[in-house]
Amino acid sequence: MNAPGTSTTTGVSSDEAGDESATTWSSGVPAAASAVLPVSGEDLLVGEGTPAVRHLLSIADLGRDGILEIMRLSDAFAEVAERPIPKVPALRGRTVATVFMEPSTRTRLSFETAAKRLSADVMTFTASTSAAVKGESLRDTVETIDAMGIDAMVIRHHASGAPLRVTDWVGASVINAGDGTHEHPTQALLDCYTIREALTARRDGEVPADLKGLRIAIVGDIKHSRVARSNVLAFTALGAEVVLVAPPTLMPASLEGWPVTATGDLDSTLGEIDVIYLLRIQSERLGEVLLPSLDEYHWRYGLTRARADALKRDALVMHPGPMIRGVEISPEVADMPASLVTRQVRNGVVVRMAVLFHLLGSGVI
Ligand code: CP
């Protein structure tokens, strides 16, 4: 398991990526948006920013500049999403395969929607109805799909590092849609975009340069959370302070190399944070008894109404989903205006359009 700050692929770490001279969000209308908005068609140049990476396995593959480029592209695609026909021909003739070896609602549907809105063809693989149930290996499965002629493979797998192995076996770009307890980079990107959007609304449309000055608490099952790992990389690359909050049994054995602070005391952090990011208890990965009971977890670490009342007045509440109401969050808190959960899902489509375009696009929307 890699600590945040290290990369499994191209070697750009979040620490290396903290360059203050990097392009920022706040230079007026984002370049991509200004290029795409006034007209439609195929003659629009966008994204003359950072060079695209071939695969997206970790947030560290993007670094700060790459994250900011995805934010700018997402602005452009958010405008596309407002059109009567929310579709552009950017990836016409390309094929995107979604290969999910673990269940998903949000990630798979939003990637497939994103690909279709970019006019790509979509190939959907579902493990339970595939030859995988007959014993076909991961290697043979992905080589078979690649042989049909695809440009990108979006893969979710229960084994940490599986997408990295797949890059050795296929010619397509590989996008990690969640691998074991390692990373879920597109979740972190849509989370950054959602926080940035909330800050922009609060500032009457002025887009913040980054997340500097924010204190973000990630609460819950850190030990098993690929979302936590990607978000620690992304939030800190953008200048936020991160505090991890969990009982000792749900904290990683070592936090060496993680640019975070950690505590077991949620109540003492509530008045000091700008964002509370709740994680699902991953019962399917626990494998051992790490909690006395889910009720006890809710009592100590759940965002109850009383705890929500102890937050700063304008604190944001986030959760990657699926949310287990009554465990990590009370039902009434989940539905409060401060809760950005639905907004996170909505933004998942435009951010994944940006990721697909960044990896496969030719510079033309
Ligand atoms: N957040 C997330 O990855 O949700 P799904 O498991 O529904 O894709």
Side-chain angles (χ1 to χ4, degrees), residues 104-187:
S104 168
T105 299
R106 283 149 282 271
T107 311
R108 189 165 87 177
L109 290 177
S110 63
F111 260 117
E112 291 176 358
T113 304
K116 288 173 187 169
R117 290 188 178 173
L118 293 167
S119 302
D121 294 319
V122 175
M123 198 187 282
T124 302
F125 168 93
T126 307
S128 61
T129 55
S130 75
V133 296
K134 301 176 189 168
E136 189 165 50
S137 69
L138 175 63
R139 179 174 184 160
D140 287 334
T141 298
V142 297
E143 285 183 350
T144 298
I145 295 168
D146 195 49
M148 293 180 203
I150 62 168
D151 298 285
M153 180 175 289
V154 179
I155 182 161
R156 171 170 289 189
H157 200 279
H158 51 81
S160 300
L164 175 63
R165 293 292 288 136
V166 168
T167 62
D168 292 334
W169 300 327
V170 303
S173 288
V174 176
I175 301 172
N176 180 3
D179 62 330
T181 59
H182 174 226
E183 277 212 47
H184 191 351
T186 59
Q187 178 68 47

Side-chain angles (χ1 to χ4, degrees), residues 303-314:
L303 188 58
T304 58
R305 180 69 208 219
R307 288 200 175 101
D309 289 343
L311 290 167
K312 287 185 187 174
R313 193 181 48 79
D314 55 1

Side-chain angles (χ1 to χ4, degrees), residues 256-295:
E256 199 180 327
W258 292 53
V260 298
T261 54
T263 177
D265 183 358
L266 175 61
D267 290 309
S268 70
T269 67
L270 292 173
E272 299 167 4
I273 54 177
D274 304 289
V275 180
I276 182 164
Y277 193 101
L278 304 163
L279 298 170
R280 182 174 67 85
I281 296 293
Q282 303 199 27
S283 306
E284 73 276 21
R285 289 189 223 282
L286 288 187
E288 57 191 307
V289 180
L290 298 177
L291 292 171
S293 72
L294 292 180
D295 282 346

